[in-house]
Amino acid sequence: MKNFKLTLVLVLLTTVIFAQKSPRKQVNGTIGHVNVDIDFGAPSVKERAIWGALVPYNKVWRAGANENTTISFDEKVTIQDKTVFPGKYGFFIIPNDAKDWILILSSENDAWGSNSYNENDDVVRIAVTPQFVEENQEELSYNVTSEGIEIAWEKVRLLIPIK
């Protein structure tokens, strides 16, 4: 019984340690005169298969690790032809192996992961074509540019076009 308890403690401790390996990051920038804040868990590739494996195709992904990714705007913006009012939004991605990927801003901005995702909370849902590149981006990154928000992880690059 003593060995079982010790094994259980070690398994739980290992799980907690490895579950916290993705650091929480914040990225800030401006698009025009709008302040943009992004908060996300930044997982690393670590020689793993990402798209279609760790992140399954055709399923909602939290666009980071641990708590869902959030994007905040301090003024109204336009994403494609959709108006988005100032506020903090949950950000989700539905990757696809054969067509455009779906990028989602949701009014649900305080979830853990994507388990509680509900399409009824979508504020914006757009289709974008992923770019596949040769260069590996080891750690998930977000970057605010004059064009919008760039997302890079593994060999995929995405752009949320924002005006």
Side-chain angles (χ1 to χ4, degrees):
M1 187 66 165
K2 208 176 209 182
N3 284 341
F4 173 76
K5 286 181 183 179
L6 179 59
T7 301
L8 182 60
V9 168
L10 288 174
V11 167
L12 291 173
L13 183 60
T14 302
T15 301
V16 168
I17 289 170
F18 284 108
Q20 296 177 356
K21 287 290 183 183
S22 299
R24 201 79 194 156
K25 296 207 170 182
Q26 290 75 39
V27 171
N28 311 85
T30 57
I31 300 172
H33 58 277
V34 177
N35 292 313
V36 179
D37 298 307
I38 305 165
D39 183 82
F40 64 103
S44 294
V45 174
K46 298 180 184 173
E47 299 181 20
R48 299 177 290 183
I50 301 301
W51 309 112
L54 182 66
V55 178
Y57 287 124
N58 305 311
K59 293 195 183 246
V60 175
W61 174 54
R62 60 187 154 201
N66 306 323
E67 298 169 48
N68 70 298
T69 298
T70 61
I71 300 175
S72 301
F73 307 104
D74 71 342
E75 294 184 36
K76 180 171 63 173
V77 298
T78 302
I79 299 178
Q80 285 185 349
D81 61 347
K82 297 164 179 72
T83 300
V84 178
F85 292 96
K88 180 178 178 181
Y89 300 92
F91 178 59
F92 301 93
I93 298 173
I94 303 174
N96 191 299
D97 64 340
K99 57 184 178 182
D100 286 348
W101 292 20
I102 305 300
L103 307 183
I104 302 163
L105 285 183
S106 171
S107 60
E108 177 68 36
N109 64 24
D110 61 355
W112 180 266
S114 56
N115 294 333
S116 64
Y117 168 78
N118 185 330
E119 190 172 340
N120 293 327
D121 295 326
D122 288 2
V123 174
V124 171
R125 176 182 274 250
I126 63 170
V128 300
T129 303
Q131 292 183 350
F132 296 91
V133 299
E134 291 298 317
E135 182 183 341
N136 183 56
Q137 172 66 40
E138 178 62 27
E139 187 176 78
L140 174 66
S141 71
Y142 285 81
N143 187 34
V144 179
T145 72
S146 61
E147 303 290 316
I149 298 171
E150 295 174 338
I151 305 149
W153 195 31
E154 201 244 6
K155 295 182 184 216
V156 170
R157 306 298 183 264
L158 300 166
L159 175 68
I160 306 171
I162 300 174
K163 295 181 183 176

